[in-house]
Amino acid sequence: MKKQCIVCIALIALLSLVSLPLFSQGAAEAAKPAGPVTVELWYGAAITEAGPPPADWVGFQIIKDKLNIDLKLTALPSNESDQDVKVQAAAAANNLPDLFMVRRDVLTRLVPQGLIASVDDMYAKMPIRTKTHYDEVSRSHARFNGKTYGLADPGSIIKNEGLLVRKDWLDKLGLAVPTTTDELLEVMRAFTFKDPDGNGKNDTYGYGAFQEINNYEAWPGRRLEPIFGAFGVDGTWNMTTAGAGLNLLKPEFYDAMAYLKQMVDEGIIDPNWLAYKKDDFRAAWKQGRFGIMREQNAAFAAQSNYAPFDKNFPNGQWIVIDAPKGPKGKASIGPYTANFRIYAVSAKAEKEGKKDKIAELLEWMASDEGYYLLGWGVEGVNYTKDANGIPVAANLPDANLAFSAPGGQTVTQLRNMVFYNGDIELYARYPKYVTETSKKQMSALDVMREMQTKEWTAAIGSDTLPIPNADLKRFYEQGLSEFITGKRVLNKDNWNKWLDEFKKLGGQDWNDKGVAFAKENNLLN
């Protein structure tokens, strides 16, 4: 018995010694909690002209206190091509941020390199966000070989751009709204050569644009789609069963190129359109440089965006018009597809164990607290709620801090990460207002509704079709640019020779693969 007691005492002592380090380890963890996890986020700014959230933005502290996340923000360039360059440069250096916005074109190149983490396991960890942001269509948008490599959030509202013309210039020159490409030429000439603003200077042009290119709106891009739509070749792809394929290969594309070349040769399109960035273009129309453009509803009519034009031209007036009809009666503002804004998680972040924290961050953004804070700012400072509970920019101590004013726009730069085009957003995003100088009543929502009534080309899924390799893309864009700028003579013989070369370099294969993909995925209409 005595021997058994001795053994028991020895075992207890041994267990005490064994358990001591474990207990000590647990006590040490409790006494010294892990510091915040740094999450580096490269975001697409909601208002490209406004600055980033200030260093003392209340959101940083809330996210740190509630999520134990030290959020580091970097705004991507406003120009999509520049965004691509920045992301691809970081990828080449294996230094992608933890979470970043990326265009699908670039994502298709990064996934095979093993630089992107799959996000399939994140949906279940974000029940609120998944319910409002991600359906099967959005998941398939960034799916490669059965796995999803990007969180495809709802993007901009479809068909929210339109062709606008300076009605005050039309009235001054006694011109009617152009309805055909021939009439459009006449108006562009008058706007260029007949001093529509009456300042006695030869400083205006008919049409204004800049190169805004994506995988379904190839060169010359979105801003000139109403021109190419008049010839039935707007957008990169023809998504009809009867005519599926690259629009570039259609005979009508040459006709559209000839029309654009005429605009350039006559000097009736702002010659800076090849050099303008988005912000340059928007500064130009606010300065009265041209009288016809394709513009987005809020970029045109939102209070802070319209204010400079209102101040410069109190009697100025833009109106939304129908797309002009071409020789065969075709007309379109441009192609439209289901828009998504993709955020990807880097493989590096996954290896560092940050993916769950990123899911926490995104889920918090979708909560009521995150949704209103990122969408409109701080209640009572950046917004108040009206009788219907809609955020409005009224009854604030400092009107400049309203979410729709320059001083308040900086704290809503991440709103694209929380908005999903819900009812609250539409009512709040586009409130009616009276302009400060001319006292006109404006509504970006009314403008958008009118834009959506115009003729558009359905091209759903065209943004998911194969993309050309970098060499072929360069040949495509450079060749068309050279025809328009005169480095190559635009005639049928030269055009056909160039097309033959394009096909040999991979253009025919690109076309065939695109058509096959569209058929396999039931994208043709």
Side-chain angles (χ1 to χ4, degrees), residues 71-243:
L71 184 62
K72 304 293 185 185
L73 295 178
T74 299
L76 285 164
S78 62
N79 183 278
E80 290 183 337
S81 296
D82 294 340
Q83 291 175 14
D84 295 349
V85 169
K86 183 176 178 67
V87 170
Q88 290 177 120
N94 193 25
N95 193 32
L96 286 168
D98 302 311
L99 178 65
F100 61 102
M101 191 176 78
V102 59
R103 293 205 301 151
R104 194 177 186 279
D105 301 26
V106 177
L107 187 66
T108 60
R109 300 187 181 103
L110 301 185
V111 170
Q113 298 176 49
L115 296 172
I116 307 299
S118 168
V119 296
D120 286 311
D121 59 330
M122 295 178 69
Y123 295 116
K125 298 172 183 175
M126 308 183 295
I128 299 174
R129 189 178 185 88
T130 296
K131 183 178 180 180
T132 52
H133 285 240
Y134 311 120
D135 58 15
E136 181 53 32
V137 176
S138 74
R139 295 188 194 200
S140 64
H141 186 73
R143 187 173 291 154
F144 305 90
N145 297 321
K147 288 187 175 180
T148 304
Y149 288 92
L151 296 163
D153 290 298
S156 58
I157 301 169
I158 62 171
K159 298 191 286 187
N160 66 339
E161 298 207 348
L163 186 64
L164 295 111
V165 64
R166 284 283 297 265
K167 185 175 183 301
D168 54 314
W169 286 10
L170 290 175
D171 293 343
K172 178 177 175 56
L173 300 175
L175 297 169
V177 172
T179 60
T180 67
T181 46
D182 286 343
E183 293 174 1
L184 187 68
L185 277 176
E186 292 304 315
V187 170
M188 287 190 286
R189 289 170 183 143
F191 282 2
T192 305
F193 302 116
K194 294 187 177 179
D195 193 22
D197 58 1
N199 68 356
K201 299 178 181 178
N202 185 24
D203 59 355
T204 58
Y205 296 92
Y207 200 97
F210 68 98
Q211 297 180 80
E212 187 171 20
I213 302 167
N214 53 57
N215 63 331
Y216 73 99
E217 293 170 308
W219 203 95
R222 175 171 296 181
R223 301 296 149 182
L224 286 155
E225 293 291 16
I227 303 299
F228 283 70
F231 295 87
V233 288
D234 50 312
T236 308
W237 296 94
N238 182 313
M239 299 296 287
T240 66
T241 303

Side-chain angles (χ1 to χ4, degrees), residues 223-521:
R223 301 296 149 182
L224 286 155
E225 293 291 16
I227 303 299
F228 283 70
F231 295 87
V233 288
D234 50 312
T236 308
W237 296 94
N238 182 313
M239 299 296 287
T240 66
T241 303
L246 289 169
N247 276 321
L248 178 71
L249 303 181
K250 311 294 182 190
E252 292 82 2
F253 199 93
Y254 173 83
D255 300 330
M257 286 287 289
Y259 188 93
L260 177 57
K261 183 73 167 60
Q262 185 174 359
M263 290 169 59
V264 172
D265 288 348
E266 292 192 24
I268 56 180
I269 181 172
D270 185 342
N272 290 330
W273 73 279
L274 286 167
Y276 276 156
K277 302 292 186 183
K278 183 185 292 184
D279 293 345
D280 302 323
F281 162 79
R282 288 180 171 159
W285 70 254
K286 294 169 187 175
Q287 293 163 3
R289 189 169 170 86
F290 43 78
I292 303 171
M293 63 177 179
R294 180 180 144 158
E295 180 59 296
Q296 195 256 359
N297 72 306
F300 160 64
Q303 186 169 4
S304 60
N305 295 329
Y306 187 78
F309 178 81
D310 183 59
K311 182 178 180 180
N312 292 334
F313 306 100
N315 297 319
Q317 182 185 8
W318 291 91
I319 57 172
V320 180
I321 66 172
D322 292 323
K325 291 182 179 179
K328 296 181 181 178
K330 301 280 188 180
S332 176
I333 298 298
Y336 72 92
T337 184
N339 288 318
F340 294 104
R341 187 175 288 108
I342 301 176
Y343 275 86
V345 177
S346 68
K348 183 165 66 75
E350 183 179 40
K351 289 177 183 175
E352 293 172 357
K354 296 183 178 180
K355 199 156 76 166
D356 284 351
K357 273 296 177 189
I358 292 172
E360 279 186 50
L361 173 65
L362 294 173
E363 181 69 348
W364 172 81
M365 288 182 177
S367 69
D368 281 351
E369 181 181 45
Y371 180 68
Y372 282 96
L373 182 65
L374 270 61
W376 292 276
V378 176
E379 186 171 4
V381 177
N382 307 111
Y383 74 95
T384 56
K385 290 182 179 178
D386 67 12
N388 298 312
I390 305 299
V392 295
N395 303 317
L396 293 169
D398 184 349
N400 185 52
L401 295 181
F403 67 89
S404 56
Q409 288 178 332
T410 58
V411 299
T412 63
Q413 289 289 39
L414 299 182
R415 73 187 186 201
N416 289 335
M417 296 188 73
V418 301
F419 281 177
Y420 56 94
N421 300 325
D423 287 347
I424 292 176
E425 298 158 34
L426 289 181
Y427 286 122
R429 191 185 307 176
Y430 305 127
K432 289 186 177 179
Y433 64 94
V434 175
T435 60
E436 185 171 344
T437 305
S438 64
K439 307 303 180 186
K440 288 195 287 281
Q441 180 169 287
M442 295 282 290
S443 165
L445 181 57
D446 290 346
V447 170
M448 186 184 78
R449 297 299 190 209
E450 186 174 6
M451 290 174 169
Q452 291 175 327
T453 66
K454 304 304 181 185
E455 192 72 29
W456 288 79
T457 302
I460 308 301
S462 59
D463 52 339
T464 66
L465 267 58
I467 59 174
N469 62 52
D471 290 339
L472 184 62
K473 186 173 188 289
R474 190 180 307 110
F475 179 86
Y476 181 127
E477 295 173 356
Q478 185 173 324
L480 295 183
S481 176
E482 288 177 354
F483 277 122
I484 292 301
T485 57
K487 291 183 179 178
R488 290 174 184 252
V489 176
L490 182 62
N491 58 40
K492 283 289 182 64
D493 285 344
N494 288 344
W495 178 255
N496 290 332
K497 288 177 183 175
W498 182 81
L499 273 187
D500 288 342
E501 192 175 355
F502 168 78
K503 292 176 183 175
K504 290 177 182 175
L505 288 173
Q508 187 64 55
D509 183 59
W510 177 30
N511 175 82
D512 297 345
K513 287 181 176 176
V515 173
F517 182 91
K519 288 180 178 177
E520 290 168 4
N521 291 278

